[in-house]
Amino acid sequence: MKSNVELIKNTWTEIGHSVVCPKHGPLVDTKRHCHNIARFFLASENYYSSPIYSWFQIASGIVEVKYVSDLHDDSMFQCNPTMEYEDAKSDFHSRLIRELTRFNFIWGGFESYCDTYPFSPCDDEKKRSLVSAVNYFLKTTYLENFEVIAFYDETIDHFKKIISKNPWHGKTNELFCSDNCTSDKLSGLKAVYKIRNSFAHGALKFSEPDGYSDVKPYDIGIINTSSRILLMTIQMLLLSRTDKLKIKVPQLHESEEFGISAAKYLPKLHLKSFKHS
């Protein structure tokens, strides 16, 4: 009999929906994904004492950010096309800012976790960053003991496709290339880190809303998928810490006796088919 994951993969292939589609794909949306990560940290650091938990819990509850492009435009009269453009820009950038905001909280939780459980630096003297150390850990420790979690590869494939269609990303092959610290099987964090730097350091060029440029904007999808890959990476890091795999992860407000072991929870918390989520 095929596993749930195999059945979901077959369904995804036959129907043709993107694996990251929140309505039809096999994965929970990023809000729920953040919430399920938060539940693990709450279970491992009881009574809401974990600062790591707070980052992911806040990320899980961000549902709307409102941006008005012409808020301070004092023009008395505007033609209809101009008003339609400003409305489209306000809507597009509101959704983009929402995803950027969520990503920043996820990244904050990631760095908070790495501060608590530091990783040994990569042997490459030229690559001494936190991300290089994490990638080296995944390459030398995680991949020696675990499989890549379900739908990571498909998410990376989707990521590459939408990055290649957007004008501000840089060269796709440079984002995902492996090196002494990074395995080509888990190159997502390296690409996400470079994209994160593009907006953290002011290098990101915001696209025009759909229909107002020759280039279709994929900014929102790129940031949302960056969040997804970062969350998947965190799942794999948590799986590698075998001292935590026996703890029970309950539903919120349930006692521990109703929980499931972290060893079963962590590889599946991002799947809609996983009923405990």
Side-chain angles (χ1 to χ4, degrees), residues 112-148:
S112 180
Y113 170 73
C114 293
D115 286 344
T116 305
Y117 300 101
F119 297 92
S120 300
C122 176
D123 292 336
D124 191 329
E125 292 292 336
K126 296 180 181 179
K127 299 181 181 296
R128 290 288 180 173
S129 69
L130 168 63
V131 168
S132 293
V134 172
N135 280 331
Y136 187 65
F137 176 85
L138 291 169
K139 178 180 180 179
T140 58
T141 302
Y142 179 83
L143 289 176
E144 290 182 1
N145 299 287
F146 300 94
E147 296 291 330
V148 176

Side-chain angles (χ1 to χ4, degrees), residues 237-251:
L237 292 177
L238 294 174
L239 269 170
S240 302
R241 302 202 66 84
T242 54
D243 59 316
K244 294 288 187 180
L245 295 185
K246 292 182 179 180
I247 68 170
K248 292 290 186 72
V249 183
Q251 297 274 18

Side-chain angles (χ1 to χ4, degrees), residues 12-185:
W12 172 73
T13 301
E14 292 168 8
I15 297 176
H17 289 302
S18 169
V19 71
V20 299
C21 175
K23 290 184 178 180
H24 305 290
L27 308 180
V28 298
D29 66 24
T30 49
K31 296 190 297 296
R32 172 64 68 170
H33 202 161
C34 290
H35 171 73
N36 291 344
I37 291 281
R39 280 171 53 195
F40 170 81
F41 284 113
L42 182 62
S44 61
E45 305 284 346
N46 288 326
Y47 305 112
Y48 301 89
S49 61
S50 169
I52 309 172
Y53 160 83
S54 300
W55 287 97
F56 294 103
Q57 185 57 22
I58 290 174
S60 74
I62 299 170
V63 296
E64 183 178 6
V65 174
K66 185 68 174 177
Y67 167 74
V68 180
S69 66
D70 56 347
L71 179 63
H72 300 290
D73 188 344
D74 296 326
S75 300
M76 292 295 292
F77 302 101
Q78 289 184 319
C79 61
N80 284 337
T82 301
M83 295 175 66
E84 290 173 0
Y85 168 70
E86 294 297 342
D87 287 345
K89 188 161 66 170
S90 296
D91 176 69
F92 173 68
H93 285 146
S94 290
R95 290 183 288 122
L96 175 60
I97 295 165
R98 178 192 65 198
E99 294 309 317
L100 281 170
T101 303
R102 192 189 326 280
F103 176 89
N104 281 329
F105 274 94
I106 297 170
W107 190 271
F110 165 68
E111 290 207 10
S112 180
Y113 170 73
C114 293
D115 286 344
T116 305
Y117 300 101
F119 297 92
S120 300
C122 176
D123 292 336
D124 191 329
E125 292 292 336
K126 296 180 181 179
K127 299 181 181 296
R128 290 288 180 173
S129 69
L130 168 63
V131 168
S132 293
V134 172
N135 280 331
Y136 187 65
F137 176 85
L138 291 169
K139 178 180 180 179
T140 58
T141 302
Y142 179 83
L143 289 176
E144 290 182 1
N145 299 287
F146 300 94
E147 296 291 330
V148 176
I149 64 171
F151 297 108
Y152 178 87
D153 291 340
E154 291 85 347
T155 303
I156 293 294
D157 288 342
H158 171 76
F159 198 39
K160 290 179 179 179
K161 288 177 182 177
I162 58 177
I163 286 175
S164 68
K165 295 177 180 179
N166 229 65
W168 53 264
H169 59 77
K171 295 182 179 179
T172 305
N173 60 337
E174 293 177 357
L175 291 174
F176 292 92
C177 62
S178 59
D179 53 42
N180 292 338
C181 304
T182 308
S183 167
D184 57 1
K185 292 183 178 180

Side-chain angles (χ1 to χ4, degrees), residues 200-247:
H201 301 302
L204 185 148
K205 184 180 184 298
F206 298 106
S207 298
E208 290 292 312
D210 197 13
Y212 290 91
S213 171
D214 294 335
V215 179
K216 187 175 179 65
Y218 288 91
D219 307 45
I220 295 169
I222 289 172
I223 300 302
N224 182 269
T225 309
S226 295
S227 293
R228 174 76 70 188
I229 292 168
L230 185 54
L231 290 167
M232 287 178 158
T233 302
I234 292 166
Q235 284 176 255
M236 290 186 277
L237 292 177
L238 294 174
L239 269 170
S240 302
R241 302 202 66 84
T242 54
D243 59 316
K244 294 288 187 180
L245 295 185
K246 292 182 179 180
I247 68 170

